[in-house]
């Protein structure tokens, strides 16, 4: 099979041929149709994989090719996705408490095992999610990381239908976050740089738009009644923390983008209104399946640009340079 690998930390992607792996106990072999390019793939290039060479990619959509011993819930030919979650150990304390995404084994597709930049990928049975017929493989792939992270971050935030919810950023994560927030019934505020993005934000489903270069974001959120939840999808620490003062009492800032510098929050802004700042991980295979079903039901779709798997270097470089609008998806064909 063809696969794209990182031979060693810092190396470019290289297209190679290797044998098709065979599923062992409780493993599933998936034939890849599409794999999203995620900013977190930089972790594989930068030396954070468990071993090298390593094939990146954790936004996988394809079909079941073969199943190993003990697998009963997946059938050959079934359409499935594989995301960041690479399976649970079921024995650590978080797993015993049912918090599988916090499993201490930290199994991550494309980091602790080879990922979806390949014609075939192996995964444990608990890592898979069923893809609804209403979604194409190209549409489903980005929802396996970007999608589930936004969806889970919102549905676990404590916000309820009718609440004011703000989404910071309109990029690869944010354009999905606004759609999910709208379909969940929130009063949606989109926050980004530049007035020209306002019309696009409204097309995605935002009811309000704030140009962060022209207004005091916290003051405007407060004027609207205060946000129950702010979902920050950006890599700017300043843009993330600028929203804290706009949270209503006991409101929550949910951080899913990874700022390049530490977050700095003025403590009284948290204490005096009992506000919270929370990080949020991606989601389990079941969380991803919930995301896919919700997207299929409500019309949430990623905006994508496709490239052949052989052009992984070009796709990755374009994504890292911020030139992708909005998700790049590699296709096996």
């Amino acid at each position: 099979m063809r696969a794209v690998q990182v031979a060693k930390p810092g190396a470019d992607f290289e297209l190679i041929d290797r044998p098709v792996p065979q599923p062992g106990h409780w493993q599933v072999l998936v034939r890849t149709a599409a794999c999203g390019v995620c900013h977190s793939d930089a972790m594989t290039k930068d030396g954070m994989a468990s071993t090298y060479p390593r094939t990146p990619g954790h936004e996988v959509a394809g079909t079941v090719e073969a199943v190993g011993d003990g697998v009963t819930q997946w059938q050959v030919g079934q359409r499935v996705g594989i995301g960041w979650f690479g399976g649970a150990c079921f024995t650590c304390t978080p797993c015993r408490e049912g918090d599988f995404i916090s499993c201490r084994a930290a199994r991550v597709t494309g980091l602790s095992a080879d990922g979806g930049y390949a014609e075939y990928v192996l995964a444990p049975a608990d890592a898979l999610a069923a893809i609804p017929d209403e979604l194409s493989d190209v549409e489903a792939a980005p929802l396996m990381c970007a999608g589930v992270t936004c969806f889970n971050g919102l549905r676990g935030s404590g916000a309820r239908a009718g609440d004011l919810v703000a989404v910071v950023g309109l990029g690869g994560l944010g354009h999905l976050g606004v759609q999910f927030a709208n379909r969940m019934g929130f009063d949606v505020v989109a926050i980004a740089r530049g007035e020209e993005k306002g019309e696009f934000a409204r097309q995605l489903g935002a009811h309000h738009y704030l140009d962060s270069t022209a207004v005091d974001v916290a003051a405007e959120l407060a004027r609207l009644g205060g946000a129950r939840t702010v979902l920050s999808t950006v890599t700017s620490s300043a843009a993330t923390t600028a929203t804290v003062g706009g949270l209503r009492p006991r409101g929550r800032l949910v951080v899913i983008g990874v700022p390049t510098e530490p977050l700095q929050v003025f403590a009284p802004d948290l204490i005096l209104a009992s506000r919270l700042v929370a990080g949020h991980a991606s989601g389990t295979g079941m969380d991803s399946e919930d995301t896919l079903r919700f997207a299929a039901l409500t019309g949430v779709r990623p905006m994508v640009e496709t490239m052949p798997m052989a052009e992984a270097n070009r796709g990755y470089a374009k994504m890292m340079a911020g030139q992708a609008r909005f998700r790049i998806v590699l296709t096996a064909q």
Side-chain angles (χ1 to χ4, degrees), residues 171-240:
L173 287 168
H175 88 286
L176 288 169
V178 170
Q179 292 181 69
F180 279 122
N182 173 279
R183 306 311 194 275
M184 289 177 177
F186 302 137
D187 186 7
V188 184
V189 184
I191 304 168
R193 295 174 59 86
E195 184 57 39
E196 70 279 1
K197 296 178 183 176
E199 180 57 31
F200 173 63
R202 293 181 179 89
Q203 290 172 5
L204 291 173
H207 303 98
H208 317 272
Y209 177 71
L210 300 181
D211 173 6
S212 62
T213 67
V215 300
D216 182 325
V217 169
E220 287 300 304
L221 289 175
R223 185 183 63 79
L224 291 169
R228 173 74 70 181
T229 296
V230 171
L231 184 75
S232 179
T233 71
V234 297
T235 58
S236 167
S237 175
T240 299

Side-chain angles (χ1 to χ4, degrees), residues 14-268:
E14 57 182 2
L15 187 65
I16 61 164
D17 287 308
R18 66 165 64 135
V20 176
Q22 296 304 307
H25 178 74
W26 218 52
Q27 287 185 317
V28 179
L29 179 67
V30 175
R31 184 183 183 96
T32 304
C35 185
V37 178
C38 180
H39 196 278
S40 298
D41 293 339
M43 298 169 71
T44 305
K45 281 184 67 73
D46 292 346
M48 297 179 66
S50 58
T51 58
Y52 287 85
R54 176 64 74 220
T55 294
H58 57 269
E59 292 185 343
V60 186
T63 57
V64 175
E65 184 79 6
V67 299
D69 177 57
V71 176
T72 58
Q73 66 269 52
W74 306 111
Q75 308 298 322
V76 172
Q78 186 173 0
R79 297 178 64 227
V80 296
I82 307 167
W84 173 270
F85 176 73
C89 73
F90 301 108
T91 59
C92 69
T93 298
C95 281
R96 292 174 64 198
E97 293 174 342
D99 186 9
F100 300 115
I101 192 60
S102 301
C103 175
R104 290 177 181 166
R107 295 169 181 164
V108 177
T109 310
L111 285 174
S112 60
D114 285 337
Y117 286 26
E119 291 181 309
Y120 295 91
V121 57
L122 272 179
D126 62 311
L128 272 60
I131 299 176
D133 292 340
E134 294 84 352
L135 296 175
S136 70
D137 293 319
V138 168
E139 291 170 334
L143 297 178
M144 294 302 301
C145 180
V148 67
T149 303
C150 291
F151 178 76
N152 254 0
L154 288 169
R155 74 169 174 173
S157 70
R160 297 182 294 182
D163 284 343
L164 190 74
V165 169
V167 178
V168 185
L170 289 173
L173 287 168
H175 88 286
L176 288 169
V178 170
Q179 292 181 69
F180 279 122
N182 173 279
R183 306 311 194 275
M184 289 177 177
F186 302 137
D187 186 7
V188 184
V189 184
I191 304 168
R193 295 174 59 86
E195 184 57 39
E196 70 279 1
K197 296 178 183 176
E199 180 57 31
F200 173 63
R202 293 181 179 89
Q203 290 172 5
L204 291 173
H207 303 98
H208 317 272
Y209 177 71
L210 300 181
D211 173 6
S212 62
T213 67
V215 300
D216 182 325
V217 169
E220 287 300 304
L221 289 175
R223 185 183 63 79
L224 291 169
R228 173 74 70 181
T229 296
V230 171
L231 184 75
S232 179
T233 71
V234 297
T235 58
S236 167
S237 175
T240 299
T241 56
T243 65
V244 172
L247 289 166
R248 61 180 296 173
R250 303 191 184 279
R252 180 180 299 231
L253 169 61
V254 180
V255 181
I256 61 172
V258 184
T260 55
E261 296 182 356
L263 299 178
Q264 296 186 7
V265 180
F266 188 49

